[in-house]
Amino acid sequence: MFDTVLVANRGEIARRIIRTLKALGIRSVAVYSDADRHAPHVREADVAVRLGPAPVGESYLAVDRVIQACLDSGAQAVHPGYGFLSENVGFAERLAEHGIRFIGPRPDHLRRFGLKHEARAAAESAGVPLLPGSGLLTDLEDATTEAARIGYPVMLKSTAGGGGIGLRLCRDAAELAREFEVVRRLGAGNFGDDGVFLEKFVETARHLEVQIFGDGAGRVVALGERDCSLQRRNQKVVEEAPAPDLPAAVREALHAAAVRLGEAVSYESAGTIEFVYDAAAQQFYFLEVNTRLQVEHGVTEAIFGVDLVEWMVRQAAGEALALDVPTPQGAAMEVRLNAEDPARAFRPSAGRLTRVVFPEATRVDGWVETGTEVSAFYDNLLAKLIVHAPDRASAIAAMTEALAATHLDGLETNRDYLAQVIAQPWFAAGTVSTRALAGFQARARIVEVLSPGAQTTVQDWPGRVGLWDVGVPPSGPMDALSFRLANRILGNPDGAPALECALMGPTLRFHDDTVIALGGAAMRATLDGKPVPLWEPVAVSAGQTLALAGIDGPGNRTYLAVRGGFDVPEYLGSGAAFTLGKFGGHATGALQAGDALRLGDGDGKSVALSDALKPALTHDWEIGVLYGPHGAPDFFRKEDIDVLFSTAYEVHFNSARTGVRLIGPKPKWARSDGGEAGLHPSNIHDNAYAVGALDFTGDMPIILGPDGPSL
């Protein structure tokens, strides 16, 4: 067995491999880029080696740097996981030159199956059914001729690479002409090979794949099949094993074909044979071979009770594996949690995760935790949820519960999208296909921020209480009365998270129906161009846009409440945003263009607010005060106090949630300096502040706000 193994990957798969190595008593070496320096796999490995900056070409794809990391750490073998260098023949051969074992198939297997057109040829030789297709195409004229022979629609494919990159559906000659050079460029740019070929497209197809494992000496076994039909833009969304509604004869023939192809080349290690299945004709056709561990290998492990990573490590170390295949038990299902925004064309999300909660009873292959910074440099897969149950119906129920118990805040993910897919009747019936999600529209419970306004923050009431003595202010609304009344109109709890909008409000697009209420200062508000009243419940439909402009009259802040409140994570016991501390709120800080606010669940009943309860705002305020400990005669003169209580002060323009600065007469002070606390007579260092206290910073009085200092 190996003493030290380097894991040439990142994210959830690196963490997964490291944990298996630890269970085997093998010293693990993690590699990382600057963007991943705080990632869990780096902490959990016995040794961690920096590869370089975040770009993959300077880190995870930098072969020389990975090999040097092996030499420096004394690694005897490398497990590449999937993606990156996992199917790189040159990398495997370079490792061999240094006497380092590549944990995976032999270079000749990587080379033979690395190009899809050559894999088709190998499958044909092994008697595996093929879809009508072409060889490598020389030019567009050649492609047009071959497409006419095969018959439209056809799939234009890059021969190199995988992961859905370099695939284009062409329904006629015009589409083929448009896409031909595009696919060639994708192949050249992503995989260094611009070779393309054609394959007949099956309209209502399922994507089935068989997990194989070979000992390299001619023995190959199949560990069941997986159904990966639910795809979006050729990217897998849900995977399960065994495949639902698959005739026993087809299942047996599918496994036999996969084993036959593996045996034909004396396949070594783990691999996956992928097939297109025409359910109507009950006929399957060869698609490609993945000479590596698959993302969805966990569902196979769940029903067979094996660890494929352990098998790969032991096989690479020279152990003679029995390759006994246990009888599969029950049904397993996996979903991929991605950092992407389904409401906005699934655009990738990046940023800090402010809350990460996974269900304890579910297998979670993930790499994120509360506080993780998700980079835009890499694949957006955050975690995989894998459930195992006695049957498929129970697995669906378990996945439903697992998704409901999962919380990922701070950026947008596809969690709600997955939950709605799993809940579809056609999914429960097992009528899945590669086109099933093409027309599926999930309901997005979000409010999209088109423009953020001057300063718009999520606040709750009473805020972050109980931490003042350690310097954490309560935050919460500046005008707590208007805030609470806006919630009360909607039947929400008084403290439900709502928006505080200062001076100039945001423009928001609602992606789901809800009810809103505005309170506080009279900010000009329109819903699809029509005025929105203050202090009344207003129904908002999905697709409508709310625009909050400037304020007419006194006051600086307007409050926007939604039924059920906004769904935000709590930080130190509150969802209130503290912009200076960069914590709390929907993510951290004030709203920004492109943010998405999640609508909470609530079934409160709207109530009318009497005129007597509506706060009357004014430009001029007379404030009741309590005389504090630092008055005359030790700090102020009596005349200072008299001036303070008799003068009309003006609010300074440089006022904020930290404090309201006041313009007025300068105190004469009862002392010449602050003694041990400093030169100015206002300086003291033995007294805590409080929200609403009148603090003198130098000669300027400041009414301390909810984000102010506590000392």
Side-chain angles (χ1 to χ4, degrees):
M1 182 58 75
F2 302 117
D3 293 322
T4 304
V5 170
L6 182 141
V7 183
N9 216 298
R10 65 173 299 277
E12 57 87 17
I13 187 59
R15 197 179 192 189
R16 156 87 175 87
I17 295 168
I18 286 168
R19 289 180 173 181
T20 292
L21 294 174
K22 283 187 179 296
L24 292 172
I26 298 173
R27 182 170 172 263
S28 60
V29 180
V31 292
Y32 64 93
S33 72
D34 289 343
D36 284 337
R37 63 190 182 279
H38 300 307
H41 79 275
V42 176
R43 297 197 308 266
E44 293 176 10
D46 296 301
V47 177
V49 179
R50 176 185 179 271
L51 292 177
V56 291
E58 301 176 59
S59 53
Y60 297 107
L61 290 180
V63 171
D64 289 341
R65 297 183 186 186
V66 176
I67 290 177
Q68 190 61 50
C70 292
L71 299 176
D72 292 344
S73 63
Q76 301 160 294
V78 170
H79 198 305
Y82 50 72
F84 292 141
L85 298 172
S86 62
E87 295 177 282
N88 188 305
V89 180
F91 176 60
E93 292 176 336
R94 288 281 304 280
L95 288 175
E97 292 172 4
H98 291 278
I100 301 169
R101 188 75 163 87
F102 179 82
I103 300 178
R106 295 194 302 263
D108 59 303
H109 297 144
L110 297 175
R111 186 173 287 107
R112 171 159 310 181
F113 294 121
L115 297 177
K116 297 184 183 69
H117 74 285
E118 291 192 5
R120 276 178 58 90
E124 186 175 25
S125 297
V128 177
L130 293 175
L131 283 167
S134 73
L136 283 184
L137 302 167
T138 56
D139 52 28
L140 179 58
E141 182 180 356
D142 185 20
T144 304
T145 301
E146 286 294 283
R149 177 184 63 81
I150 297 167
Y152 289 99
V154 294
M155 187 69 83
L156 179 63
K157 294 186 172 186
S158 168
T159 188
I165 299 174
L167 298 178
R168 288 292 191 277
L169 173 61
C170 303
R171 295 191 175 278
D172 52 38
E175 282 192 320
L176 180 61
R178 282 199 305 271
E179 302 290 356
F180 186 78
E181 288 301 327
V182 173
V183 175
R184 292 188 71 159
R185 285 196 301 271
L186 284 170
N190 288 280
F191 314 117
D193 191 324
D194 68 353
V196 296
F197 68 100
L198 291 172
E199 208 167 61
K200 180 67 178 175
F201 178 72
V202 179
E203 285 286 358
T204 306
R206 288 171 61 181
H207 183 117
L208 304 180
E209 57 187 37
V210 178
Q211 176 70 58
I212 64 168
F213 202 98
D215 64 3
R219 178 146 189 250
V220 176
V221 295
L223 289 93
E225 81 289 339
R226 299 183 287 258
D227 191 310
C228 306
S229 299
L230 281 186
Q231 301 178 12
R232 189 191 60 78
R233 298 175 188 168
N234 300 315
Q235 298 292 317
K236 297 168 185 174
V237 175
V238 181
E239 300 108 344
E240 56 182 310
D245 196 26
L246 188 66
V250 174
R251 193 186 310 274
E252 185 178 344
L254 190 74
H255 297 176
V259 169
R260 195 161 61 247
L261 178 54
E263 290 176 340
V265 297
S266 296
Y267 191 81
E268 182 176 270
S269 195
T272 298
I273 317 295
E274 299 195 352
F275 297 90
V276 170
Y277 176 56
D278 185 338
Q282 295 191 3
Q283 179 62 54
F284 60 85
Y285 305 95
F286 173 80
L287 186 61
E288 64 182 6
V289 179
N290 287 304
T291 50
R292 55 173 167 79
L293 202 64
Q294 288 278 86
V295 177
E296 58 272 19
H297 70 277
V299 293
T300 296
E301 292 181 329
I303 64 170
F304 282 95
V306 300
D307 185 333
L308 289 172
V309 173
E310 179 181 344
W311 281 26
M312 294 177 75
V313 172
R314 290 188 181 279
Q315 191 272 338
E319 291 190 18
L321 299 181
L323 293 185
D324 293 328
V325 179
T327 301
Q329 302 293 325
M333 192 170 292
E334 171 185 290
V335 296
R336 304 187 187 196
L337 287 162
N338 296 329
E340 60 188 8
D341 188 350
R344 290 173 284 187
F346 290 88
R347 70 184 187 189
S349 303
R352 180 173 299 162
L353 285 163
T354 56
R355 175 174 61 170
V356 175
V357 177
F358 291 119
E360 294 183 2
T362 301
R363 172 174 167 177
V364 179
D365 287 3
W367 68 278
V368 294
E369 57 197 359
T370 298
T372 293
E373 193 76 27
V374 178
S375 168
F377 283 99
Y378 312 119
D379 182 270
N380 61 0
L381 178 64
L382 303 177
K384 301 175 304 188
L385 300 184
I386 304 167
V387 298
H388 182 220
D391 52 52
R392 188 172 185 269
S394 301
I396 293 174
M399 183 60 76
T400 301
E401 292 179 6
L403 285 166
T406 298
H407 298 281
L408 298 163
D409 292 290
L411 49 81
E412 284 306 291
T413 73
N414 65 337
R415 188 203 70 161
D416 291 348
Y417 175 84
L418 293 170
Q420 291 176 56
V421 169
I422 295 295
Q424 295 304 304
W426 51 260
F427 181 78
T431 53
V432 295
S433 75
T434 55
R435 305 285 292 171
L437 295 179
F440 178 71
Q441 291 292 328
R443 181 172 60 99
R445 294 274 296 157
I446 67 165
V447 179
E448 180 182 358
V449 180
L450 301 181
S451 64
Q455 185 182 62
T456 307
T457 58
V458 174
Q459 299 297 334
D460 63 9
W461 179 84
R464 201 166 278 107
V465 296
L467 299 170
W468 197 245
D469 57 339
V470 292
V472 180
S475 298
M478 285 282 282
D479 178 358
L481 178 58
S482 294
F483 179 95
R484 294 160 64 194
L485 289 173
N487 270 321
R488 188 172 299 180
I489 290 169
L490 301 176
N492 292 341
D494 283 1
L499 293 183
E500 179 179 270
C501 312
L503 298 174
M504 178 73 69
T507 301
L508 308 171
R509 179 183 293 131
F510 288 75
H511 286 254
D512 201 5
D513 301 343
T514 188
V515 183
I516 67 170
L518 295 172
M523 189 172 280
R524 296 189 299 276
T526 58
L527 184 64
D528 284 352
K530 297 180 180 179
V532 177
L534 208 64
W535 303 117
E536 292 182 19
V538 177
V540 179
S541 299
Q544 289 194 291
T545 298
L546 177 70
L548 300 178
I551 293 173
D552 290 330
N556 283 340
R557 291 172 175 81
T558 300
Y559 294 91
L560 170 63
V562 297
R563 172 143 306 148
F566 290 103
D567 180 13
V568 298
E570 289 193 352
Y571 186 84
L572 298 176
S574 170
F578 177 38
T579 56
L580 291 175
K582 297 183 179 179
F583 56 72
H586 70 295
T588 53
L591 264 60
Q592 300 181 36
D595 282 351
L597 297 162
R598 297 181 192 173
L599 293 168
D601 296 322
D603 55 2
K605 304 299 181 183
S606 299
V607 298
L609 192 67
S610 69
D611 290 339
L613 288 177
K614 298 174 184 177
L617 302 186
T618 176
H619 284 290
D620 302 298
W621 294 86
E622 186 171 317
I623 303 173
V625 298
L626 296 175
Y627 196 88
H630 296 96
D634 296 331
F635 297 90
F636 296 96
R637 297 182 181 183
K638 183 180 183 303
E639 61 189 275
D640 292 334
I641 301 299
D642 292 340
V643 168
L644 181 66
F645 286 113
S646 63
T647 301
Y649 285 80
E650 181 184 349
V651 173
H652 192 278
F653 69 88
N654 189 20
S655 295
R657 287 178 52 84
T658 51
V660 178
R661 296 172 180 264
L662 303 177
I663 302 171
K666 294 173 59 174
K668 298 190 181 301
W669 299 102
R671 57 183 190 168
S672 59
D673 58 48
E676 293 180 354
L679 295 177
H680 197 277
S682 69
N683 291 356
I684 58 174
H685 62 191
D686 63 345
N687 189 71
Y689 297 157
V691 174
L694 189 65
D695 164 55
F696 274 80
T697 298
D699 294 322
M700 176 173 281
I702 303 174
I703 303 174
L704 294 178
D707 285 356
S710 75
L711 291 189

